[in-house]
Short mmCIF file of all heavy atoms in Angstrom, two decimals:
data_model
loop_
_atom_site.label_atom_id
_atom_site.label_comp_id
_atom_site.label_asym_id
_atom_site.label_seq_id
_atom_site.Cartn_x
_atom_site.Cartn_y
_atom_site.Cartn_z
N ILE K 1457 -73.49 6.86 -43.01
CA ILE K 1457 -72.11 7.06 -42.64
C ILE K 1457 -71.69 8.43 -43.10
O ILE K 1457 -71.85 8.83 -44.26
CB ILE K 1457 -71.21 6.03 -43.33
CG1 ILE K 1457 -71.65 4.59 -42.94
CG2 ILE K 1457 -69.74 6.25 -42.91
CD1 ILE K 1457 -70.94 3.51 -43.76
N ARG K 1458 -71.12 9.21 -42.18
CA ARG K 1458 -70.64 10.54 -42.47
C ARG K 1458 -69.61 10.54 -43.54
O ARG K 1458 -68.68 9.74 -43.56
CB ARG K 1458 -70.07 11.14 -41.16
CG ARG K 1458 -69.78 12.58 -41.22
CD ARG K 1458 -69.50 13.05 -39.80
NE ARG K 1458 -68.86 14.34 -39.81
CZ ARG K 1458 -68.45 14.96 -38.69
NH1 ARG K 1458 -68.67 14.38 -37.50
NH2 ARG K 1458 -67.88 16.15 -38.75
N GLY K 1459 -69.75 11.43 -44.53
CA GLY K 1459 -68.82 11.55 -45.63
C GLY K 1459 -68.99 10.61 -46.80
O GLY K 1459 -68.21 10.63 -47.74
N LYS K 1460 -70.06 9.79 -46.79
CA LYS K 1460 -70.27 8.78 -47.80
C LYS K 1460 -71.60 8.93 -48.53
O LYS K 1460 -72.00 7.98 -49.20
CB LYS K 1460 -70.19 7.38 -47.17
CG LYS K 1460 -68.92 7.08 -46.47
CD LYS K 1460 -67.75 7.07 -47.46
CE LYS K 1460 -66.43 6.73 -46.74
NZ LYS K 1460 -65.31 6.80 -47.65
N ASN K 1461 -72.23 10.07 -48.48
CA ASN K 1461 -73.55 10.27 -49.08
C ASN K 1461 -73.65 11.60 -49.83
O ASN K 1461 -74.29 12.55 -49.33
CB ASN K 1461 -74.63 10.14 -47.99
CG ASN K 1461 -74.62 8.79 -47.35
OD1 ASN K 1461 -75.16 7.86 -47.91
ND2 ASN K 1461 -73.95 8.66 -46.20
N PRO K 1462 -73.03 11.70 -51.01
CA PRO K 1462 -73.06 12.95 -51.75
C PRO K 1462 -74.40 13.20 -52.43
O PRO K 1462 -75.00 12.32 -52.98
CB PRO K 1462 -71.96 12.79 -52.78
CG PRO K 1462 -71.84 11.31 -53.00
CD PRO K 1462 -72.20 10.69 -51.67
N THR K 1463 -74.87 14.48 -52.31
CA THR K 1463 -76.11 14.88 -52.94
C THR K 1463 -76.00 14.77 -54.45
O THR K 1463 -74.96 15.13 -55.04
CB THR K 1463 -76.43 16.34 -52.56
OG1 THR K 1463 -76.55 16.41 -51.13
CG2 THR K 1463 -77.68 16.87 -53.21
N LEU K 1464 -77.04 14.27 -55.11
CA LEU K 1464 -77.07 14.17 -56.56
C LEU K 1464 -77.62 15.43 -57.19
O LEU K 1464 -76.94 16.12 -57.93
CB LEU K 1464 -77.89 12.96 -57.00
CG LEU K 1464 -78.00 12.76 -58.52
CD1 LEU K 1464 -76.63 12.53 -59.15
CD2 LEU K 1464 -78.93 11.60 -58.83
N VAL K 1465 -78.84 15.81 -56.89
CA VAL K 1465 -79.48 17.01 -57.44
C VAL K 1465 -79.66 18.05 -56.33
O VAL K 1465 -79.14 19.15 -56.37
CB VAL K 1465 -80.80 16.71 -58.14
CG1 VAL K 1465 -81.49 17.99 -58.62
CG2 VAL K 1465 -80.58 15.73 -59.31
N THR K 1466 -80.45 17.69 -55.31
CA THR K 1466 -80.73 18.58 -54.18
C THR K 1466 -81.11 17.76 -52.97
O THR K 1466 -81.57 16.63 -53.11
CB THR K 1466 -81.84 19.59 -54.53
OG1 THR K 1466 -81.93 20.56 -53.46
CG2 THR K 1466 -83.17 18.93 -54.71
N MET K 1467 -80.91 18.33 -51.80
CA MET K 1467 -81.35 17.72 -50.53
C MET K 1467 -81.98 18.85 -49.74
O MET K 1467 -81.28 19.73 -49.29
CB MET K 1467 -80.17 17.11 -49.79
CG MET K 1467 -80.54 16.39 -48.54
SD MET K 1467 -81.55 14.90 -48.81
CE MET K 1467 -80.47 13.89 -49.85
N GLU K 1468 -83.29 18.79 -49.55
CA GLU K 1468 -84.00 19.79 -48.79
C GLU K 1468 -84.12 19.34 -47.34
O GLU K 1468 -84.41 18.15 -47.10
CB GLU K 1468 -85.36 20.04 -49.43
CG GLU K 1468 -85.21 20.59 -50.87
CD GLU K 1468 -86.42 20.32 -51.73
OE1 GLU K 1468 -87.28 19.52 -51.38
OE2 GLU K 1468 -86.46 20.95 -52.80
N PHE K 1469 -83.93 20.26 -46.42
CA PHE K 1469 -83.92 19.86 -45.01
C PHE K 1469 -84.55 20.94 -44.12
O PHE K 1469 -84.67 22.11 -44.52
CB PHE K 1469 -82.49 19.60 -44.55
CG PHE K 1469 -81.57 20.78 -44.64
CD1 PHE K 1469 -81.54 21.73 -43.62
CD2 PHE K 1469 -80.78 20.98 -45.76
CE1 PHE K 1469 -80.74 22.85 -43.72
CE2 PHE K 1469 -79.95 22.10 -45.87
CZ PHE K 1469 -79.93 23.02 -44.83
N ILE K 1470 -84.86 20.50 -42.92
CA ILE K 1470 -85.25 21.42 -41.83
C ILE K 1470 -84.49 20.95 -40.60
O ILE K 1470 -84.47 19.77 -40.29
CB ILE K 1470 -86.79 21.47 -41.60
CG1 ILE K 1470 -87.10 22.43 -40.44
CG2 ILE K 1470 -87.33 20.09 -41.32
CD1 ILE K 1470 -88.58 22.70 -40.25
N VAL K 1471 -83.87 21.88 -39.93
CA VAL K 1471 -83.20 21.59 -38.66
C VAL K 1471 -84.05 22.24 -37.56
O VAL K 1471 -84.33 23.42 -37.61
CB VAL K 1471 -81.76 22.21 -38.60
CG1 VAL K 1471 -81.14 22.00 -37.26
CG2 VAL K 1471 -80.88 21.61 -39.71
N HIS K 1472 -84.45 21.42 -36.62
CA HIS K 1472 -85.17 21.93 -35.42
C HIS K 1472 -84.13 22.16 -34.33
O HIS K 1472 -83.50 21.24 -33.88
CB HIS K 1472 -86.22 20.92 -34.95
CG HIS K 1472 -87.13 20.45 -36.03
ND1 HIS K 1472 -88.19 21.23 -36.49
CD2 HIS K 1472 -87.17 19.29 -36.75
CE1 HIS K 1472 -88.81 20.59 -37.43
NE2 HIS K 1472 -88.21 19.41 -37.62
N THR K 1473 -83.93 23.43 -33.99
CA THR K 1473 -82.87 23.74 -33.03
C THR K 1473 -83.31 23.41 -31.60
O THR K 1473 -84.50 23.40 -31.28
CB THR K 1473 -82.50 25.23 -33.15
OG1 THR K 1473 -83.63 26.00 -32.76
CG2 THR K 1473 -82.08 25.55 -34.54
#
Side-chain angles (χ1 to χ4, degrees):
I1457 303 169
R1458 191 168 164 181
K1460 302 296 182 184
N1461 298 280
T1463 300
L1464 180 61
V1465 176
T1466 188
M1467 185 64 61
E1468 298 157 346
F1469 62 84
I1470 180 172
V1471 175
H1472 307 284
T1473 64

